[in-house]
Amino acid sequence: MIKATLLIVDKNRNDQETLRLMLQDEVDQIISLTNPDRIFETLEKNDVDIVLLEMNFKAEINSGNEGLYWMKEISQYDNTISVIMITSTSDLELAVKAIRDGAADFILKPWDNNKLLAAIHMAWKLRLSRQETLILKKDNQYLKKEINKVSDKFVQGASPTMIKVINMVRKVAATDASVLITGESGTGKELVAREIHNQSKRSGELMVSVDVGSITESLFESELFGHVKGAFTDARDDRTGKFEMAHKGTLFLDEIGNLSLQSQAKLLSILQNRYVVRVGSNKHIPVDIRLICATNCDLIQLVMEGKFREDLLYRINTILIEVPPLRDRVDDIPILANYFLRVQSERYGKDAMKMNTHALEKLANHDWPGNVRELQHSIEKAVIMSESAVLKPSDFVFASSTRSALHTEFTLEEMEKKMIIEALKRHHDNLSIAAGKLGITRQTLYNKIRKYGLR
């Protein structure tokens, strides 16, 4: 016996009784109806697994349309219920139509008992399979929502530079255009990427983030494209690559400027062909992804130096969004500081903490070389260490900065030297970016570096 509830819908009471006697030892419960209008009432009161459904209920009408109609109605009510169609009309075209429309099987009267029993058992397995698939689908949707949840929130701010970024995010999110996000470390490039994803039509799917700068050359293909079992020494199982994981969603490649030329060529090939081939396989796997990349490097300079492919730059740089450093969005510091204060107070189980005016002034006057990430960590440290409910300037201790140094007496040359040192440090010795931020040409910066003996 299978623990299934069977609903028989047949206008012929004799056929109903015959089916009941035959199947009473095969299924857990049997319900019978002569009128299909009572199907939904019965489904609402009982957890029906299988329906034996007559295809013709009106006299002298053998088209089967009634049965097909009710089968579709049952499917709309619960598409995991298995429906077996029963008819006295030997019409192959009708049988094909029923199966095509979703019937589990098609049985002709007078039925063969063994075939009917086999159909019942197959329909039960189909019901279980459909239920399992539905559960997996719901679990997958839940998993996607959980994965797409992040502890860090995109705090928009109110400064003109961030309003410009926010407007660009809104415009580009509605498209599938590739986006390149630039900016210093700690400015929140990944949060901008996630905001684009969340506002896009792909928001119900995954956003897969990859720090390509941390992937070794030997593992690049395996990580991004996947591999099959036995492809190399440690490939003990098949592995899905990041491109496949991001299918129908968004793929975020961080630190794209750190890719080797060899890896750049492989990446470009995938972006052009829109399919991946797992390492050790010949099978083409189509991928549909929205690509967002980020870097703190000057990719144009890297192209000029032969370290980055120009064709790849064009491929990833349909839309360019530059995230400003925190020192260029001072108006946002109080907004961000108070947000992080609320988050960290809650995280460490402290009553709602506040920050006095002088503390906010100190934060506004700091250079923030580590940008928003540094501000976040500074607030967290202050919340942990403070014994007061109100944070004061003394709760924040920073290394000397260029802006605070302006209040100390220096000669012009000393100040210029210090500013150059700070700019080079902040931009990881990238002369082009540092020169741009200092408002001078790259050659002028190079001359001053030689003048002050900084190289």
Side-chain angles (χ1 to χ4, degrees):
M1 177 181 286
I2 57 176
K3 293 197 174 293
T5 296
L6 174 68
L7 173 61
I8 301 172
V9 188
D10 195 317
K11 66 179 182 293
N12 190 313
R13 294 186 182 275
N14 290 331
D15 286 347
Q16 280 190 17
E17 188 59 28
T18 302
L19 287 167
R20 178 181 290 277
L21 291 172
M22 174 185 152
L23 298 173
Q24 62 184 358
D25 294 330
E26 298 294 329
V27 296
D28 197 41
Q29 181 183 10
I30 297 177
I31 305 170
S32 300
L33 296 176
T34 55
N35 185 355
D37 291 335
R38 295 183 56 200
I39 286 177
F40 292 121
E41 174 189 341
T42 305
L43 293 179
E44 288 174 358
K45 294 180 179 179
N46 303 273
D47 187 17
V48 175
D49 300 295
I50 305 167
V51 178
L52 283 174
L53 179 63
E54 167 67 40
M55 295 198 72
N56 301 293
F57 289 93
K58 294 179 181 178
E60 299 180 356
I61 297 180
N62 296 312
S63 65
N65 288 335
E66 287 181 288
L68 293 174
Y69 167 79
W70 286 109
M71 179 184 70
K72 291 178 181 177
E73 292 293 302
I74 292 170
S75 178
Q76 288 182 5
Y77 179 85
D78 183 349
N79 61 9
T80 68
I81 296 175
S82 294
V83 181
I84 300 174
M85 311 301 290
I86 301 179
T87 183
S88 56
T89 303
S90 180
D91 187 336
L92 180 61
E93 184 178 343
L94 184 61
V96 171
K97 182 173 176 57
I99 298 296
R100 187 185 63 208
D101 289 352
D105 211 335
F106 185 94
I107 301 296
L108 184 66
K109 292 181 180 181
W111 56 80
D112 179 289
N113 288 353
N114 291 330
K115 289 183 178 179
L116 180 58
L117 287 175
I120 294 290
H121 283 266
M122 185 206 70
W124 171 241
K125 291 180 180 178
L126 181 60
R127 160 75 162 173
L128 295 178
S129 175
R130 286 173 173 172
Q131 287 180 321
E132 183 178 357
T133 300
L134 183 63
I135 292 171
L136 289 173
K137 185 177 180 180
K138 289 181 178 179
D139 287 346
N140 190 38
Q141 290 173 342
Y142 174 78
L143 179 62
K144 286 178 179 178
K145 289 180 180 179
E146 289 301 305
I147 291 175
N148 279 333
K149 284 181 180 178
V150 290
S151 57
D152 292 331
K153 177 184 176 183
F154 179 67
V155 182
Q156 295 186 353
S159 63
T161 53
M162 277 309 294
I163 289 174
K164 182 179 178 181
V165 170
I166 293 163
N167 288 336
M168 289 192 69
V169 166
R170 177 177 51 81
K171 291 178 182 178
V172 75
T175 74
D176 266 344
S178 297
V179 181
L180 175 63
I181 304 173
T182 62
E184 298 175 11
S185 296
T187 51
K189 296 186 288 296
E190 184 170 356
L191 291 180
V192 173
R194 190 167 293 281
E195 188 66 13
I196 294 172
H197 172 76
N198 290 340
Q199 292 188 30
S200 74
K201 61 185 178 182
R202 298 174 181 262
S203 59
E205 302 295 333
L206 292 179
M207 172 176 146
V208 179
S209 299
V210 186
D211 182 359
V212 293
S214 66
I215 302 175
T216 62
E217 186 74 31
S218 59
L219 293 178
F220 177 79
E221 285 187 85
S222 175
E223 286 289 328
L224 265 68
F225 314 143
H227 64 248
V228 296
K229 182 179 180 181
F232 47 86
T233 304
D234 293 328
R236 298 183 178 88
D237 298 289
D238 288 357
R239 178 171 182 172
T240 302
K242 296 299 191 293
F243 267 89
E244 284 185 73
M245 289 175 62
H247 183 58
K248 298 296 183 182
T250 300
L251 181 63
F252 175 62
L253 301 182
D254 200 6
E255 303 301 343
I256 189 76
N258 293 336
L259 272 183
S260 69
L261 288 172
Q262 184 179 359
S263 295
Q264 290 174 36
K266 295 172 183 176
L267 175 60
L268 179 62
S269 175
I270 300 302
L271 296 178
Q272 289 174 334
N273 297 324
R274 293 289 172 176
Y275 65 78
V276 296
V277 178
R278 292 185 178 183
V279 178
S281 171
N282 294 319
K283 181 181 178 182
H284 291 184
I285 303 174
V287 287
D288 173 15
I289 58 106
R290 200 275 177 78
L291 182 67
I292 303 178
C293 300
T295 183
N296 59 7
C297 299
D298 183 347
L299 294 187
I300 295 178
Q301 181 63 32
L302 292 181
V303 168
M304 294 172 61
E305 296 173 357
K307 296 178 180 178
F308 200 87
R309 295 180 62 112
E310 187 174 13
D311 47 3
L312 178 58
L313 177 58
Y314 291 142
R315 176 71 63 171
I316 67 175
N317 190 23
T318 304
I319 301 293
L320 175 65
I321 297 179
E322 184 175 359
V323 184
L326 189 54
R327 63 184 173 277
D328 289 347
R329 44 183 296 211
V330 178
D331 293 346
D332 294 336
I333 291 177
I335 299 173
L336 292 166
N338 284 309
Y339 167 74
F340 291 137
L341 186 57
R342 288 196 303 272
V343 172
Q344 300 302 339
S345 296
E346 182 178 346
R347 178 182 179 184
Y348 291 103
K350 296 194 174 185
D351 293 334
M353 299 181 70
K354 295 183 179 180
M355 194 178 308
N356 68 26
T357 304
H358 297 300
L360 282 173
E361 288 177 355
K362 184 172 183 177
L363 297 183
N365 286 322
H366 182 54
D367 259 354
W368 300 110
N371 292 294
V372 179
R373 186 183 297 125
E374 182 188 355
L375 174 61
Q376 180 180 2
H377 291 167
S378 297
I379 299 291
E380 181 179 8
K381 181 180 177 181
V383 168
I384 294 172
M385 301 304 294
S386 179
E387 296 180 357
S388 170
V390 179
L391 297 183
K392 304 176 293 296
S394 57
D395 291 311
F396 301 95
V397 180
F398 307 120
S400 61
S401 65
T402 305
R403 291 178 67 192
S404 61
L406 289 173
H407 300 287
T408 306
E409 291 186 1
F410 288 103
T411 65
L412 286 175
E413 286 194 348
E414 288 173 334
M415 179 56 69
E416 184 177 62
K417 179 179 178 181
K418 186 172 181 63
M419 291 181 69
I420 291 173
I421 292 172
E422 290 288 342
L424 291 172
K425 180 180 179 181
R426 187 177 299 119
H427 301 296
H428 310 287
D429 289 332
N430 188 307
L431 299 186
S432 297
I433 295 179
K437 296 299 181 181
L438 290 170
I440 58 179
T441 66
R442 190 173 185 274
Q443 184 60 48
T444 300
L445 175 59
Y446 181 74
N447 293 338
K448 290 183 181 295
I449 288 173
R450 294 183 60 187
K451 173 183 176 181
Y452 295 123
L454 299 179
R455 286 283 176 89

